Amino acid sequence: MNTRLHILLSFVFSIVFAVAAVAQAPKRMTSADIYEAMQKLNFLGSALYVAAHPDDENTRMISYLANEVKANTAYLSITRGDGGQNLIGTEMSELLGLLRTQELLGARRIDGGWQLFTRANDFGYSKHPDETFQIWGREAISSDVVWAIRQWQPDIIINRFDHRSAGTTHGHHTASAVLSFELFEKTADRNAFPEQLAHVSPWQPRRLFFNTSWWFFRSRENFEKADKSNFISMDLGVFYPMKGKSNTEMAAESRSMHRCQGFGSVGTRGSELEYLELLKGDMPADRSNPFDGINTTWTRLSGGEPIGRLLADVEKEYRFDRPYASLPKLLQAYRLIQALPAGYWKGVKQQEIEAVIAACTGLFAEAVAADFSATPGGDIALNIEIINRSPVAMELRGIRSFPAGADTVLQHPLADNERFLTKKTLRIPADFPNSNAYWLNTPWETGLYTVEDQRLRGLPETPRLAKVQFDLLIEGQPFVWETEVVHKKGDPAKGEVYQPFEITPPVFANIREGVYVFAGQEPKTIELTLKSGAPNVEGVVEWELPSGWRMEPTSKSFQLQLKSEEQTLRFSLFPPAGESEGYLSPKVTVGGKAYNQEIVTIAYDHIPTQTVLRRSRAKIAMIDLRKAGAEIGYIMGAGDEAPAGLRQIGYTVTELKDADITPETLRRFDAVILGVRAYNTVDRLKFHQPKLMEYVEQGGNLIVQYNTTGDLVLPQDQIAPFPMKISRDRVAEEDAEVRFLLPQHPVLNVPNKITAKDFDGWVQERGLYFPGEWDKAFDAVLSLNDTGETPKDGSLLVARYGSGYYVYTGLSFFRELPAGVPGAYRLLANMIALGNRAD
C-alpha cells in the first residue's frame, strides 16, 4: 500500500465509529431534529446493548436510550445472522449476512442507535454455549468484544439474554451474555489483549444489566412473583411530541426493517415497563434511571464545564423558525471542543456539533459520480454542489478530493440559497482497494471471519474512501465538511435514487449455476458471463478443475468494448468415470493480470444497493444417482433454490403459480414439492390444500418441506391427511449419526440404496422443526439426535393416502442441494420416485 493511501486509511479509521451507519442519501434535518440534536450535545453518557443476531435487539430499549435519555447507544450483534433463512429472496450464508447487516443499519437509522459486530459468523443453531465457543473460538470472540467495549466506552452494558441459561436456549444467545459478563472487568486490564492498546485505551464500564422480562420466567405469573429487589424499571412507552409518535411506535418501525426475517411489527401506544436486572456494578439510587449516579455532563471532561453552559444556553434560546440564530454560541462551543485533549467524547461531540452547525445553516454538499463504479487506475467525473440556505456569512475556501485529485483553492462567498456548482475529475490510484464487504475479502473458516486489520474488526461496513472535503469559513470560523462520493440517478417511478460509489476490477466472471451435479457421463454446458468494469477490456478465459474433469475448449478469448458490456461464453464440462466432488473456477487474464471474481448485486428497496465481489467458483459433483419420474411441480416457499438443484439431475421443474394449482394441472406431475416454510408464507395455500390432498388421494406424491410452528396459514391438523404436530425439534450437528428405523422402506432403497455415506458432508445442520407427534399412518424412517439428546424420529415421515404418498420432511434439503451434497440428491430422488410406484 502506498504512503498516501495509508495516510488516508489512518484518517478514516480515526473517525469511523462516529460516522458508521449513515444513510446513502443525505439526511435533511428538520428544525425539530436540530433541537433534539442540541439536547444530545449536552449528554455525555454511552450504552452498549449486546446480543447474538440481527433481530435479537430490543429496539424499544435502544430507541428509548437514544431518544429519551439522549445516550450514545450502540447495538453489538455478535454475528451478522449468516446462518438463518431468508423470507424475501434467495440470499443465503454470507450474502444473507450482508443483507441483514444492512437491515440492522436501517433499523439504527430509525431508532437512533449505532451498529457494531464481531468477526463471528452465524454457523446455524447451537444448543449449548460450549459448542458455540468451540466453533467461534472463545479467545478470538472475547478479543472482539473487549475491542468493541474499549472503542465504544459504554458507561452501561445491557445484555439481551441471560448468561445463566446454558442449554435452555440458543447457544449463541447465552454465549453473547456470557461474553459481556465475563469480560466486564477485563476491558480495563492492560494485560488483556494488549495489542489493541495501540489504538484504544483500557475502559471500565460502570454497570452491567440483563434486560429481563416475563418471557425469561416462562409466564407472567412467575414474573409477578419473582424477587425484583435487584431490578430497575423504565417506562419505554413515552411519547415524543416533536416526532409525533411514541417510543414504541418508533421501535416498531425499526424492528420492521428486519424484512428478510419477516419481523414486521405493529406499533403500540401507552405506558410499557421494561426491566433491567443489575449483574455487576452499583445499583442506581433512582431505580428508573440506569445512568443515575454517573456523571453525564460536560464536567466529566477537564475543561468541559464552560462548553456545557454554552450548550445549555443554545438549547434554551433555540428558535425553531431561525435555527441559524444559534450559530454564534454553537461556533464558540465548537472552538472549545476543538481545544480539548484527544479522547472519546471529544471525537463524538465534535462530530455531533459539526452536524448541528451544518444543519443550522441548511448546508447541502454533495459529490456525485457520473457512474456507480470505477476501476483502480481510472478516472471518474464528479459533479459537485454546495449551497448555504441561511443568511449566515459563509465562504467556500477550497475543495479537496480523496484518494487523489488536485485541490481547488477558492474564495467564493456562498450567498443565501445560491448554489455553487463545479466539476472535478477523481483519479483512482492503481493500488486502490476494491469496494467490498471487508469480512468477505479473505477466505474464512466456519465460525469466524478472517479480518487481519484490527481497526476494521467490528465495523458494520467497509469505510468508503472516495470522499470530497469542503473547506469553509462560517462567520469567520474555519469549518470542514466532508461527504462521500455517491452515484445518483432519476428513476421514473422512484425519483431521486442514490447508490454507493464502488471501486471494482475491470472484469467480472459469473458462472451461471452455483452447483453442477452429474448423474451420468453426458457433459454439461457451463455458461460463463463476463462483464466489464471498464471500457476496452480483452483477454483470455481458462479454467481451474479438479483432477479427472475436462473442459472443452480449454480456453477462449473475449473482447468487451463498452463498460458494463456482457458476453456469455459456453464450455462443455466432462465428468470423470467415477464419483468425484470439487470446484471449478475461471481464470480471466487481462493485460497480464489474472482475475477470478464474480459480481453479486443485492438490491431491495429498503436497503442501499450492495455490490459484492467474491471468488467465482461452482461446486461440481459426479454422483451415483438413479431417478424415477421426470416432471415435478414446485410451490415456492421462502428463500429456496431447490428447483435449480433438481434441474441439475435431470428433472423438469415447473414452478407453480396460484392459477396453476388445479386438479388437472397437478395430475401431470410425478411429484409436487412444497418449498421451505410454504405454509408460513404462501397465504393462498389455505384455499389450495383440498386440491393438494385430492392430488395425493388420486395417486399423486406430495413432498412437504419444513414449516415453523407460528403463523401457519391453516391449522396444523389440516397440513397433512393424518394428525401430525410440528415441534421445535431440530438436529443442529451436521455430522450427527443417522439411524435407519425402517431399512427396507422404499424411500431408502428405490431407485438408490441409501447408506450412512449419504449423510456425509452435510452442511450447517441435519434438519429443523421436525414433527414431534404423528399418527400411526405415518412411517418414521430415520432417527437422529444431537449429542446428549434423546432420539428425534420425525425428520422424514411417509404415509400412504388413498392411492398416493404424502411425505413430510424437516431435513435441510434447502441447504444441502445448493451446497452440492451428493447424498441429499440421492435421498430426494428416492422421495420423488415414490410417485412412480405401482403398489
Side-chain angles (χ1 to χ4, degrees), residues 125-131 134-135 167 730-739 766 783-792:
Y125 194 85
S126 174
K127 294 183 177 180
H128 200 281
D130 289 349
E131 180 205 27
Q134 180 182 4
I135 295 175
R730 66 199 303 157
V731 175
E733 296 171 10
E734 63 271 24
D735 57 353
E737 179 192 6
V738 179
R739 299 172 294 276
R766 289 297 193 198
S783 179
L784 55 162
N785 56 271
D786 283 321
T787 303
E789 294 195 351
T790 58
K792 306 294 184 290

Side-chain angles (χ1 to χ4, degrees), residues 605-717:
D605 286 344
H606 66 300
I607 65 168
T609 299
Q610 299 297 296
T611 301
V612 186
L613 303 175
R614 61 180 185 176
R615 184 181 178 187
S616 179
R617 68 175 193 169
K619 175 75 176 289
I620 53 177
M622 173 63 188
I623 65 177
D624 179 12
L625 181 143
R626 297 169 181 80
K627 60 188 184 70
E631 296 283 338
I632 295 174
Y634 203 98
I635 300 174
M636 293 297 291
D640 192 351
E641 294 187 280
L646 291 168
R647 293 184 182 106
Q648 282 292 323
I649 53 176
Y651 292 104
T652 299
V653 182
T654 302
E655 295 180 23
L656 299 176
K657 306 302 181 185
D658 188 63
D660 299 328
I661 305 176
T662 66
E664 295 75 23
T665 302
L666 296 175
R667 200 172 296 130
R668 56 178 257 238
F669 296 113
D670 297 297
V672 172
I673 302 178
L674 271 62
V676 296
R677 298 183 68 174
Y679 285 114
N680 299 122
T681 60
V682 184
D683 186 67
R684 294 284 298 174
L685 276 179
K686 61 189 173 187
F687 303 112
H688 295 310
Q689 187 69 3
K691 304 171 196 173
L692 293 171
M693 291 299 100
E694 179 185 344
Y695 161 73
V696 178
E697 191 173 19
Q698 294 182 358
N701 179 20
L702 183 66
I703 300 171
V704 179
Q705 297 182 76
Y706 94 94
N707 294 272
T708 62
T709 53
D711 299 321
L712 291 163
V713 301
L714 74 171
Q716 275 207 47
D717 59 6

Side-chain angles (χ1 to χ4, degrees), residues 40 102-103 139 195 197 219-220 243 283 294 331 337 364 382 396 449 570 712 727 733 736 769 815 824:
K40 192 176 181 71
Q102 290 301 317
E103 289 185 336
E139 187 75 0
E195 69 281 359
L197 301 183
S219 73
R220 294 183 185 276
K243 298 181 185 297
M283 176 64 74
I294 299 172
L331 291 171
I337 292 173
F364 178 87
L382 300 182
L396 178 61
Y449 286 113
R570 292 173 177 83
L712 291 163
S727 74
E733 296 171 10
Y769 290 98
R815 295 196 191 281

Side-chain angles (χ1 to χ4, degrees), residues 51 69 72 77 102 192 362 419 424 455 471 547 649 674 681 790:
V69 179
N72 207 31
S77 179
Q102 290 301 317
R419 290 193 300 166
K424 285 179 70 72
R455 299 167 299 172
D471 292 329
S547 177
I649 53 176
L674 271 62
T681 60
T790 58

